[in-house]
Amino acid sequence: MSQAPEVSRGPVVTPVRVVIGLCLVAPFVAMLWVGSYAKTDPAFIGIPFFYWYQMAWVLISTALTMIAYKLWQRDQRARREGGAK
């Protein structure tokens, strides 16, 4: 008799993938929680808090997306090398 084919179990949740998800979700949560930044003080070099907070998140989001991408690449590389053995 032939053996039953190996069944794919779908996506695997690992700590690295949880970190990737958090990196990608954090900017959305920060921007959707308007009550946390809908104010004018403290001002930064004359710019009200509302505006500089959002501009800071542009840079933070870029960094978090880059981190998530690098972690994803490393995770995929590890899966390929682990599956080839």
Side-chain angles (χ1 to χ4, degrees):
M1 292 211 153
S2 64
Q3 293 180 341
E6 189 173 314
V7 178
S8 175
R9 296 184 184 220
V12 177
V13 178
T14 63
V16 172
R17 290 183 181 190
V18 171
V19 171
I20 291 169
L22 290 174
C23 285
L24 296 175
V25 168
F28 289 105
V29 172
M31 290 293 96
L32 290 175
W33 186 21
V34 177
S36 70
Y37 64 92
K39 51 191 172 185
T40 57
D41 289 327
F44 176 69
I45 59 171
I47 301 170
F49 180 75
F50 180 81
Y51 294 111
W52 70 256
Y53 179 83
Q54 289 182 357
M55 289 298 107
W57 270 102
V58 169
L59 300 174
I60 294 167
S61 298
T62 302
L64 289 173
T65 303
M66 185 178 68
I67 290 167
Y69 178 69
K70 293 296 182 181
L71 287 172
W72 180 255
Q73 281 183 327
R74 190 172 69 176
D75 184 58
Q76 292 302 304
R77 193 177 317 116
R79 287 182 59 126
R80 277 193 308 269
E81 290 171 0
K85 291 182 181 178

